[in-house]
Amino acid sequence: MSTIVIVGSGPAGAAAAITARELGFGEVLLIDKSRFPRDKCCGDGLTPRAVGALGALGLRTWIGLQARQSRVDISVGSNEPAAIAWPRGNHPEFSAAIKRADLDHALHERALAVGAHEVTGRVVSVDTDRDGRVVAVVVRGEAGEQKVPCNRLIVADGSGSPVGAMLGRRWHRDEMYAVASRSYVHMPEIDSDAMRIAILPPTTPTDSMGYGWVFPIGYGWANVGYGEMLSAKHWTAGSRMSARELHERYLDHLRLGGEVDTPEDFASAPLAIGGLAGPVAGPNWVAVGDAAGGIHPLTGEGVDFALETGCLAARVLAEGISTDLTARWPALLRTNYHNPYAAERFIVRTIARHPNVARRIVPHLISGGWRGQLVLASSAGLIEPGDTGLIASMYRTTGAIAGRRGVQAFA
């Protein structure tokens, strides 16, 4: 019998497998529908928080060989971008831009190297006992179906989370969600030391809250993407453009500033954000990463949350099979992430509801000084509980207020 079964071998699942093996679990089984290496729609940008988490998983040397950036150039609308250095603190002082296919492959190989085993196939059903405990998963692969016994399960199969849905997990799209698209573009004149982010407040009633990015991945290439925040509950947009149309519109905006070659490998995907998914646990199973809805509402970045929750899940499961995770796991996630995500959701809602006000105020917050540092540190999740100072204090106060008033995350 497998000690731990992990469905999904992306960053969250691989991090769980690596940590479980390092904690001494004898049998760790990784199930993924695809063979590695494989691509996945992603912005490819890793915050310093994600870079630090990868280093802790044994990939510090590998990370050192990838494209890295010391700053983020942020613009609002048509304003000139402000160059903001990554804040100093407990995290590395640089970000990284790595193709998702390469990142996932490196993590997957690391998991196999420390002793995890893999099965390629799609989980088509989950068997539970009368107490709701998962006892087996049925995997359909090239050789047919097989039933895999399971006494502990980690669900790490992405925002859509088919396995989570089998266990009752729902995605609260009416509250807020995102749709993101990306392509790879050759940009010969790109500044390889800077990530570029464009905040694009709505300009008409039919626009949504949008943001664009250019993340250099090396050799003059960049991941260029566009994301939009949507909500059926908090604001209403008119008939929206398709993800590809929005993506092309952002590319046209970039072409005004210089040479942009024909984009390649376009892809788009909906994203569960801000902890707006649940339930995320049962008696002997937990959801991690995108399956738990843990993508940052302000940035659309979710690799840091995926890596952290994958590691945390393995540690919690190490406490013993008798531990009921139904309440314990969501409580842990809320302790670590509820207030920051509530603050980010509040900011996104405010910008979307009051675009005229946002266009006047937001540019004043984006600067190379302390205001820009506050924006960057908070949106990238770089403020830790023990951090002191004005930026950390303002961040925690906003999160505490928004957390009391907002929707409970991971519920």
Side-chain angles (χ1 to χ4, degrees), residues 245-398:
E245 288 172 325
L246 289 167
H247 190 82
E248 288 296 332
R249 187 173 70 170
Y250 181 57
L251 284 170
D252 288 340
H253 171 74
L254 293 176
R255 291 184 180 105
L256 297 175
E259 182 181 352
V260 177
D261 288 351
T262 303
E264 300 179 6
D265 298 332
F266 172 86
S268 65
L271 306 174
I273 62 175
L276 297 174
V280 294
N284 69 330
W285 68 271
V286 298
V288 296
D290 290 5
I295 293 173
H296 289 277
L298 277 176
T299 63
E301 204 276 344
V303 175
D304 54 3
F305 177 87
L307 296 170
E308 292 169 8
T309 54
C311 296
L312 180 61
R315 297 188 189 102
V316 170
L317 293 182
E319 296 174 358
I321 191 62
S322 61
T323 303
D324 190 326
L325 302 169
T326 306
R328 174 163 168 70
W329 180 246
L332 281 172
L333 293 184
R334 282 192 285 271
T335 297
N336 292 326
Y337 302 101
H338 173 66
N339 282 1
Y341 283 175
E344 291 184 35
R345 296 199 310 265
F346 170 77
I347 293 169
V348 171
R349 286 198 307 269
T350 301
I351 292 174
R353 284 172 167 173
H354 309 286
N356 292 330
V357 176
R359 281 195 296 272
R360 289 195 296 268
I361 295 177
V362 173
H364 292 290
L365 298 176
I366 307 300
S367 71
W370 71 270
R371 293 190 301 271
Q373 291 276 297
L374 170 62
V375 170
L376 192 57
S378 56
S379 62
L382 301 183
I383 299 175
E384 299 287 354
D387 289 347
T388 60
L390 178 62
I391 291 177
S393 176
M394 292 175 63
Y395 177 73
R396 280 194 288 269
T397 299
T398 302

Side-chain angles (χ1 to χ4, degrees), residues 38-174:
R38 57 97 174 100
D39 191 20
K40 184 176 180 181
C41 180
C42 183
D44 296 344
L46 303 179
T47 64
R49 182 168 177 167
V51 170
L54 285 169
L57 287 166
L59 294 177
R60 185 171 286 106
T61 300
W62 181 81
I63 277 286
L65 300 175
Q66 311 305 314
R68 63 167 69 184
Q69 306 81 37
S70 66
R71 72 178 197 276
V72 183
D73 293 349
I74 305 178
S75 61
V76 181
S78 59
N79 294 326
E80 286 295 314
I84 307 173
W86 284 109
R88 296 182 178 181
N90 298 323
H91 302 282
E93 294 174 18
F94 64 92
S95 55
I98 305 168
K99 293 187 73 169
R100 184 62 182 270
D102 296 337
L103 172 67
D104 285 12
H105 185 52
L107 281 164
H108 185 74
E109 290 295 298
R110 171 68 178 157
L112 299 183
V114 296
H117 300 285
E118 66 174 329
V119 169
T120 302
R122 185 185 301 271
V123 174
V124 294
S125 64
V126 177
D127 294 347
T128 58
D129 63 18
R130 65 180 62 186
D131 297 321
R133 300 181 67 86
V134 176
V135 296
V137 297
V138 178
V139 183
R140 181 180 296 157
E142 293 179 356
E145 292 187 357
Q146 62 173 311
K147 181 173 286 191
V148 179
C150 172
N151 56 16
R152 288 173 248 196
L153 174 67
I154 295 178
V155 179
D157 56 348
S159 281
S161 191
V163 174
M166 296 174 195
L167 295 167
R169 177 262 195 193
R170 293 293 179 266
W171 178 1
H172 309 310
R173 289 196 188 204
D174 60 326

Side-chain angles (χ1 to χ4, degrees), residues 213-240:
W213 67 81
V214 178
F215 296 158
I217 58 175
Y219 304 101
W221 285 85
N223 180 308
V224 176
Y226 185 87
E228 57 176 337
M229 298 299 179
L230 300 167
S231 172
K233 181 177 179 180
H234 294 289
W235 68 87
T236 303
S239 56
R240 54 179 290 266

Side-chain angles (χ1 to χ4, degrees), residues 200-214:
L200 305 170
T203 56
T204 72
T206 60
D207 278 349
S208 59
M209 169 63 188
Y211 60 96
W213 67 81
V214 178

